[in-house]
Amino acid sequence: QVQLQESGPGLVKPSQTLSLTCTVSGGSISSGGYYWSWIRQHPGKGLEWIGYIYYSGSTYYNPSLKSRVTISVDTSKNQFSLKLSSVTAADTAVYYCAREHHTTIFGVVIIYYFDYWGQGTLVTVSS
Amino acid sequence: SSELTQDPAVSVALGQTVRITCQGDSLRSYYASWYQQKPGQAPVLVIYGKNNRPSGIPDRFSGSSSGNTASLTITGAQAEDEADYYCNSRDSSGNHRDVVFGGGTKLTVL
């Protein structure tokens, strides 16, 4: 059973960099075939995708956050990490890491889904 | 980028059937996946693809799709089904790399 666990500071000061790590157990990031994502949820709001990384290190970010986001992977530790720079109160949210799986039909990917999620960690941006 | 649109709130009487819908152009290219989220908990995948349920999800949950609309149906809703439900797919406009979520539907079981 794959499990994901977020870790990192719960309080970050404005203008600083938010840093979180997701530790994966029960499966190897290096095995390939999955995209490892960060998703956040502002208090009382919906889900917002931040970005993902493949085990090879290739990344893709939400265009609305791209200028401030860096996602990296450490396959030796089976972890991937999020850095969000220049944070403001608007970045206060619960941050989730999740594994995105995909299914192909006749060689074409037509189903993407997040099959495993971390429990989420609340990050508050405040001085 | 493409969007997925959901009704903000839906209610259903205990034991009755309810359908939650998700609309968006990307659903013409990709099947939606559906997540249940209860207060203070992480989302849980309940339906993916044409109509696939992960292990442990009751068979009262089912999915369907037509054109640009995906639906999650709960047949015989239970009190424990009261939750927020989100749909998700990839954005089919542009390079198909963006992940999109619907705004969520709050389901109340009366």
Side-chain angles (χ1 to χ4, degrees), chain A residues 55-120:
Chain A
Y55 81 98
S56 60
S58 63
T59 55
Y60 192 72
Y61 304 135
N62 185 324
S64 69
L65 297 169
K66 181 179 180 180
S67 63
R68 298 194 292 131
V69 173
T70 302
I71 298 177
S72 59
V73 65
D74 186 338
T75 54
S76 68
K77 295 182 179 178
N78 222 30
Q79 296 175 334
F80 62 106
S81 298
L82 168 71
K83 290 189 185 299
L84 181 66
S85 64
S86 304
V87 297
T88 69
D91 294 309
T92 293
V94 174
Y95 287 76
Y96 296 99
C97 56
R99 187 181 85 168
E100 188 187 33
H101 194 22
H102 60 273
T103 300
T104 60
I105 296 181
F106 303 119
V108 178
V109 180
I110 63 167
I111 308 170
Y112 287 93
Y113 54 97
F114 293 97
D115 55 356
Y116 292 102
W117 296 68
Q119 87 279 9

Side-chain angles (χ1 to χ4, degrees), chain B residues 4-7 19-28 30-34 47 49-50 62-73 86-89 105:
Chain B
L4 296 177
T5 301
Q6 298 182 240
D7 291 329
R19 176 174 292 182
I20 298 170
T21 61
C22 174
Q23 286 189 305
D25 287 340
S26 63
L27 300 181
R28 298 185 185 277
Y30 297 109
Y31 283 105
S33 54
W34 290 94
I47 290 289
K50 191 173 184 179
S62 63
S64 62
S65 182
S66 178
N68 73 337
T69 302
S71 300
L72 172 69
T73 300
Y86 295 91
C87 59
N88 149 248
S89 80
T105 297

Side-chain angles (χ1 to χ4, degrees), chain B residues 48-105:
Chain B
Y48 63 98
K50 191 173 184 179
N51 184 18
N52 300 294
R53 281 177 291 105
S55 173
I57 301 301
D59 60 7
R60 62 178 179 272
F61 289 88
S62 63
S64 62
S65 182
S66 178
N68 73 337
T69 302
S71 300
L72 172 69
T73 300
I74 306 174
T75 303
Q78 302 299 303
E80 60 265 31
D81 299 333
E82 186 163 291
D84 293 327
Y85 290 85
Y86 295 91
C87 59
N88 149 248
S89 80
R90 283 289 183 98
D91 183 1
S92 63
S93 64
N95 59 21
H96 295 234
R97 297 172 76 181
D98 287 9
V99 173
V100 290
F101 286 97
T105 297

